[in-house]
Amino acid sequence: MADSPPRPIPPYVDIRRSKRRKRTVSAYRDGERVVVLMPDRLSAAEEARWVETMLARLEKQRSRSRVSDEKLLARAHELACRHLPEVPEPASVRWVSNQNRRWGSCTPADRSIRLSTRLQSMPAWVVDYVLVHELAHLVEPAHNAHFWSLVHRYPKAERAEGYLEGVSAAASLDFEDF
């Protein structure tokens, strides 16, 4: 039985080929779009098969890691109790899809925290790091030494910072620190 021909590539998929990329294919969500990074040498048929594979993987990740705003708020409370007991409780923590240059943001005046939906497909320890980062802003609005001492109470802070820097660099995103 012959392989069925690959489906056409959906219009919401951006393919970025690289001569430097030799073997790996990766994908991530960029708002409503999906970006697939792949080696330059793949044929059109291989490209279409990889796009199909990566779309299926992203959907599986999304369904597995979709955390409600209520669970996100509960997680923020748990992280604050564990790592930042002096931080006032956030009034709200929610996912937002309009953050194109930040992983998260905080408004200390009303104690609200917003996380980019781009984080939803990332490991939980990375999301936790961004939550700790934003929680620290409830005490210290500036990115000064005191702020970073609070953030680095989270045991995986450096690892998560490296992960986010790598995601940004691989995707050629121009993200601010936060």
Side-chain angles (χ1 to χ4, degrees):
M1 185 163 129
D3 287 337
S4 59
R7 294 185 202 141
I9 295 171
Y12 60 87
V13 174
D14 291 332
I15 297 168
R16 296 186 187 161
R17 290 173 167 265
S18 169
K19 292 182 191 306
R20 291 177 57 195
R21 187 178 282 264
K22 299 299 179 195
R23 290 181 282 205
T24 61
V25 176
S26 62
Y28 64 91
R29 293 189 184 284
D30 183 11
E32 297 299 315
R33 303 194 64 71
V34 172
V35 177
V36 181
L37 308 168
M38 64 179 56
D40 191 45
R41 63 172 172 71
L42 296 181
S43 69
E46 289 171 313
E47 175 184 279
R49 284 188 184 88
W50 269 113
V51 166
E52 199 170 319
T53 298
M54 298 314 286
L55 288 173
R57 284 183 189 173
L58 285 173
E59 188 52 41
K60 186 176 179 182
Q61 277 180 344
R62 178 181 261 181
S63 64
R64 211 178 28 213
S65 68
R66 198 169 284 148
V67 174
S68 68
D69 289 351
E70 293 78 25
K71 287 182 181 177
L72 200 58
L73 179 62
R75 185 66 182 152
H77 288 299
E78 182 181 326
L79 289 164
C81 288
R82 187 179 307 155
H83 304 293
L84 303 166
E86 70 274 29
V87 168
E89 289 196 21
S92 69
V93 181
R94 61 190 172 92
W95 297 108
V96 294
S97 60
N98 63 348
Q99 290 194 7
N100 297 319
R101 296 183 46 101
R102 297 174 184 218
W103 296 114
S105 61
C106 175
T107 305
D110 67 4
R111 299 185 346 266
S112 65
I113 293 173
R114 294 154 308 278
L115 297 187
S116 171
T117 54
R118 294 174 191 224
L119 292 165
Q120 289 178 322
S121 64
M122 294 185 190
W125 53 270
V126 174
V127 176
D128 285 354
Y129 166 77
V130 176
L131 279 170
V132 168
H133 181 111
E134 300 309 332
L135 286 164
H137 279 305
L138 293 175
V139 172
E140 181 55 59
H143 286 116
N144 58 25
H146 179 242
F147 169 82
W148 289 112
S149 71
L150 294 170
V151 171
H152 284 105
R153 290 183 192 172
Y154 179 63
K156 295 183 179 177
E158 286 187 43
R159 183 177 175 200
E161 289 164 358
Y163 184 97
L164 292 169
E165 286 175 17
V167 167
S168 296
S172 299
L173 297 175
D174 185 23
F175 270 73
E176 296 173 4
D177 285 338
F178 282 87

